[in-house]
Amino acid sequence: MAAKIQPSLSSLLLMSLFLLLVVLSSVLSATLRSDIQALESIIRSIDPSSISPSSYLSTWDFSEDPCEGSGTFLGVMCSFPLDNTTSRVTEIDLDDDGYDGFLSDEVGNLTELTVLSLNKNRFRGSIPETVFQLQKLTKLSLSENFFTGDITPGITWLKELKTIDLSKNSIAGEIPPRISSLRSLTHLILSNNHLDGRIPPLNGLWKLQVLELGNNHFSGTLPKLPPSLRTLSLCYNSLAGRISPLHRLKHLVSLDVSQNRFSGTISHEILTFPEISHINVSFNQFISIEVVQVISIESHLRILDAEGNQLQGHLPLNLPSYGNLKYINLRSNKFSGDIPRIYGKRLENSWRSLYLENNYLTGLLPEEFQRISKQIRGSLSNNCLQCPKNVPICQGVQKPKSQCTNAMQKEDLE
């Protein structure tokens, strides 16, 4: 009979140590149980019929560990601590697959979460108050959903936030007054909602670069704004008063205050900001525009839209000195007199569109207009010009000359 081979004590110890390391490794690499439960609650709150086979959520397979699975849990990012503690969910960034449902309250248990992005879906109901327990959140992006309710003061507890994007929802109420306490904020995007009241002072947001509050129901005058802003959109509200507070925003690249009730003068300070490229002040109640000559400085202004105001006097003679200007819209104002010949020269060379219809312009059309390319877009109709029909932008009727003369006389009396 063959003798049994007994394993040595050292080999048994090595085998036991190996098994222990395997078990420990699997335990230590597992995601924290409360994080898993939060993810389970999130997917339970979504209509299963809205989860398509190609979507991120279709890969959430809870038979595998959310932070360890290969090819599963798309849209979820995790941390892997070096101190042998459990992994934590740090980001949820879902695709725009049209998920229909509610955002679970249990999202507030993901205490290591830094990014929550659910853009372009069909989430509805209020934003859970538990979201404002996520003290490490740097990005809250819930745009293009059906969220309702208001922005509660709890949002001001999230001191690490850099981006808030709640645009294109149905959120109502006012902006919390203490939102300026979010000193790390660089992007505040609340456009296309039902927000109302006055915009609170925002000058405390000294890192803010993008402020988009358009398509709401804000009223009152311009608030205090931080000079760091590069993009400012306040269009389609009921804001009124002067825009002179904007003079401090010397880093602006894009400005849109259209469709409000602003009045007074569009000052040269705004038109000559060093980096400004897009200005839209259309459909307000401005009566004048200051256009200074900018030959000595380089202007980046490409688009100027001042349609639908009450701008009067002659067309700005210095406008062609803005060397990068391409698109000009001054229609539906009260401009009078001749069209400067330099406008025609610019259309021959650099300008791509010129809309001057529905003013009180008179006189002969400069001969340069007859040489412009058919690719130039624009219109001179509804003035009192002698406008040859063979010139493309002369299409459309002109007013009787007496109508422009009467308008000019009325303007002189005023």
Side-chain angles (χ1 to χ4, degrees):
M1 181 181 294
K4 285 187 177 180
I5 301 174
Q6 296 290 335
S8 66
L9 181 59
S10 60
S11 63
L12 284 172
L13 286 172
L14 285 172
M15 187 177 297
S16 299
L17 183 60
F18 175 76
L19 291 172
L20 180 62
L21 288 172
V22 168
V23 172
L24 284 174
S25 175
S26 63
V27 171
L28 291 174
S29 64
T31 306
L32 189 70
R33 183 60 194 159
S34 60
D35 281 12
I36 296 174
Q37 290 171 339
L39 295 178
E40 289 173 334
S41 179
I42 288 171
I43 200 167
R44 281 198 306 269
S45 301
I46 295 171
D47 184 350
S49 66
S50 69
I51 302 175
S52 71
S54 61
S55 68
Y56 282 11
L57 286 185
S58 68
T59 70
W60 286 24
D61 178 4
F62 288 94
S63 66
E64 296 192 42
D65 186 275
C67 294
E68 294 293 320
S70 175
T72 59
F73 289 91
L74 293 180
V76 174
M77 296 289 288
C78 299
S79 65
F80 300 95
L82 299 176
D83 58 357
N84 292 331
T85 56
T86 51
S87 299
R88 299 297 308 273
V89 173
T90 57
E91 295 186 20
I92 297 178
D93 188 354
L94 295 186
D95 53 337
D96 54 346
D97 200 59
Y99 304 122
D100 189 348
F102 300 88
L103 181 56
S104 169
D105 286 342
E106 290 193 35
V107 70
N109 294 331
L110 299 170
T111 54
E112 291 294 313
L113 204 64
T114 61
V115 172
L116 179 59
S117 180
L118 310 176
N119 300 332
K120 298 182 180 179
N121 284 291
R122 296 174 188 165
F123 287 97
R124 45 204 159 85
S126 298
I127 300 170
E129 193 72 20
T130 55
V131 167
F132 308 128
Q133 299 172 10
L134 303 175
Q135 297 293 310
K136 296 187 178 181
L137 209 60
T138 62
K139 180 179 181 180
L140 178 62
S141 191
L142 309 177
S143 68
E144 296 189 53
N145 281 284
F146 297 100
F147 286 110
T148 53
D150 55 7
I151 304 172
T152 69
I155 200 169
T156 62
W157 302 337
L158 304 181
K159 303 301 184 184
E160 301 298 318
L161 272 178
K162 295 180 179 178
T163 295
I164 299 174
D165 187 354
L166 306 180
S167 60
K168 298 183 180 179
N169 281 285
S170 296
I171 297 170
E174 299 185 0
I175 298 176
R178 288 186 53 79
I179 199 160
S180 268
S181 65
L182 300 178
R183 298 302 172 88
S184 296
L185 209 59
T186 61
H187 291 69
L188 179 57
I189 305 172
L190 305 176
S191 52
N192 294 87
N193 279 288
H194 304 302
L195 297 167
D196 56 23
R198 298 177 72 93
I199 303 171
L202 300 174
N203 52 317
L205 301 175
W206 59 279
K207 291 185 179 180
L208 196 66
Q209 296 186 20
V210 175
L211 177 62
E212 296 184 7
L213 303 179
N215 289 277
N216 281 289
H217 308 295
F218 292 117
S219 57
T221 56
L222 283 174
K224 292 180 179 179
L225 297 168
S228 54
L229 279 177
R230 296 182 63 79
T231 297
L232 175 61
S233 177
L234 302 173
C235 60
Y236 289 90
N237 282 288
S238 298
L239 299 168
R242 306 300 177 101
I243 60 170
S244 49
L246 300 181
H247 294 175
R248 297 175 62 247
L249 309 183
K250 299 186 184 300
H251 299 288
L252 273 183
V253 175
S254 177
L255 171 65
D256 188 351
V257 294
S258 61
Q259 297 282 354
N260 280 284
R261 300 171 186 169
F262 291 117
S263 58
T265 297
I266 305 163
S267 70
H268 67 87
E269 286 92 349
I270 292 172
L271 269 65
T272 55
F273 284 150
E275 300 176 74
I276 195 78
S277 69
H278 181 187
I279 295 176
N280 189 349
V281 291
S282 61
F283 298 102
N284 280 284
Q285 299 168 16
F286 295 111
I287 60 171
S288 62
I289 180 170
E290 295 177 349
V291 184
V292 298
Q293 197 169 25
V294 293
I295 290 178
S296 59
I297 60 173
E298 183 180 2
S299 169
H300 291 90
L301 186 62
R302 296 185 72 252
I303 300 171
L304 175 61
D305 189 345
E307 176 183 357
N309 283 283
Q310 299 175 34
L311 302 176
Q312 47 194 279
H314 289 82
L315 289 171
L317 193 60
N318 289 321
L319 202 57
S321 69
Y322 291 70
N324 286 301
L325 195 59
K326 303 290 182 187
Y327 306 96
I328 303 99
N329 182 7
L330 300 176
R331 53 159 73 104
S332 299
N333 280 287
K334 297 181 178 180
F335 287 114
S336 58
D338 297 339
I339 297 177
R341 185 174 178 181
I342 188 65
Y343 278 40
K345 291 182 178 179
R346 281 289 177 263
L347 282 172
E348 281 188 290
N349 299 306
S350 56
W351 287 0
R352 295 291 172 262
S353 70
L354 177 64
Y355 289 93
L356 299 177
E357 73 264 34
N358 199 26
N359 279 285
Y360 298 102
L361 301 172
T362 56
L364 292 169
L365 192 68
E367 61 182 26
E368 287 82 2
F369 277 76
Q370 302 187 40
R371 299 196 294 266
I372 62 176
S373 165
K374 290 183 179 180
Q375 279 72 44
I376 296 295
R377 293 186 300 173
S379 175
L380 303 177
S381 66
N382 206 24
N383 283 286
C384 299
L385 293 163
Q386 298 179 42
C387 213
K389 295 296 182 183
N390 63 322
V391 177
I393 64 174
C394 278
Q395 301 301 313
V397 299
Q398 295 288 322
K399 299 171 184 172
K401 189 174 181 180
S402 58
Q403 193 171 339
C404 292
T405 303
N406 292 339
M408 291 172 66
Q409 289 173 347
K410 184 179 178 182
E411 182 182 316
D412 290 339
L413 291 174
E414 292 175 351

